[in-house]
Amino acid sequence: HFALILGKPGGGKGTISGKILKDFPQFHHISTGDLLRKHVREETDLGKEAKYYMNEGKLVPDELMIGLVMEEAATNLEE
């Protein structure tokens, strides 16, 4: 089971996610912003590609974001 919370930056996704996690602690929270920063900091292949777009002031392409989320989700599904 999973829930996908979408919204604009600063729209309250993290706030509502925190409230959901209090009621459903079996869920795992994945923040795309946190994932991007982690991969950029760790200089992974995905992080390097994302950093290129970020430095250009562009949005990171959907395909790359989906890859980040799927990689993280797969790790959590194995647990």
Side-chain angles (χ1 to χ4, degrees), residues 5-15 31-34 36-37 58-60 65:
I5 310 296
L6 301 170
K8 64 182 183 175
K13 300 177 298 293
T15 301
S31 165
T32 55
D34 291 348
L36 277 174
R37 287 184 286 277
K58 298 178 180 177
L59 293 174
V60 177
M65 294 304 302

Side-chain angles (χ1 to χ4, degrees), residues 34-48 71:
D34 291 348
L35 278 177
L36 277 174
R37 287 184 286 277
K38 175 185 170 203
H39 279 269
V40 169
R41 184 176 54 253
E42 294 177 359
E43 298 182 346
T44 66
D45 290 339
L46 288 171
K48 290 175 187 175
E71 180 181 287

Side-chain angles (χ1 to χ4, degrees), residues 1-3 27 77:
H1 295 75
F2 69 92
F27 280 79
L77 288 174

Side-chain angles (χ1 to χ4, degrees), residues 14-35:
T15 301
I16 194 66
S17 295
K19 291 179 180 182
I20 291 170
L21 290 172
K22 283 183 181 178
D23 292 333
F24 301 95
Q26 69 272 22
F27 280 79
H28 178 77
H29 181 251
I30 299 173
S31 165
T32 55
D34 291 348
L35 278 177

